[in-house]
Amino acid sequence: MCIRDSTICWQDWNIEHWGTKWNGDLIDLTLTSTHGTLTLDTAWSAPLPILFALSVRYPQRTINATYTYEGDTTATHITFRYGTTIDATIT
């Protein structure tokens, strides 16, 4: 991790905690009593560390994510529960 003048560099922190160099730009957030849907745009990759952390923090919930990379024709669907990846498929 980069430290300059006793300060952690934002990009290194983001990569370590988000899995991408920038945090996500919120596109849409929908919450109901039974589920939630978060749509965001990030650089480089899906913020898998955040999704994993949510599954640890809320172990009774199933966290489903679908993501694509810019210019790619496939999508990855991943499911977390109890801090574990329980499914990952590419379509």
Side-chain angles (χ1 to χ4, degrees):
M1 177 172 298
C2 167
I3 299 180
R4 293 185 193 120
D5 301 321
S6 300
T7 303
I8 296 173
C9 301
W10 66 268
Q11 185 171 337
D12 290 338
W13 188 94
N14 284 353
I15 291 168
E16 182 177 338
H17 293 91
W18 276 87
T20 183
K21 68 178 176 178
W22 295 310
N23 60 350
D25 290 328
L26 182 63
I27 305 297
D28 184 51
L29 176 61
T30 304
L31 298 173
T32 71
S33 61
T34 59
H35 75 279
T37 301
L38 172 67
T39 303
L40 51 88
D41 188 18
T42 65
W44 293 350
S45 64
L48 297 179
I50 296 296
L51 300 173
F52 175 80
L54 284 170
S55 74
V56 169
R57 185 167 187 166
Y58 302 101
Q60 73 284 7
R61 301 284 186 193
T62 300
I63 309 294
N64 294 299
T66 301
Y67 60 93
T68 60
Y69 294 105
E70 186 175 355
D72 199 350
T73 58
T74 62
T76 300
H77 308 278
I78 191 164
T79 303
F80 295 95
R81 185 151 192 169
Y82 303 109
T84 303
T85 302
I86 59 173
D87 183 49
T89 57
I90 298 174
T91 57

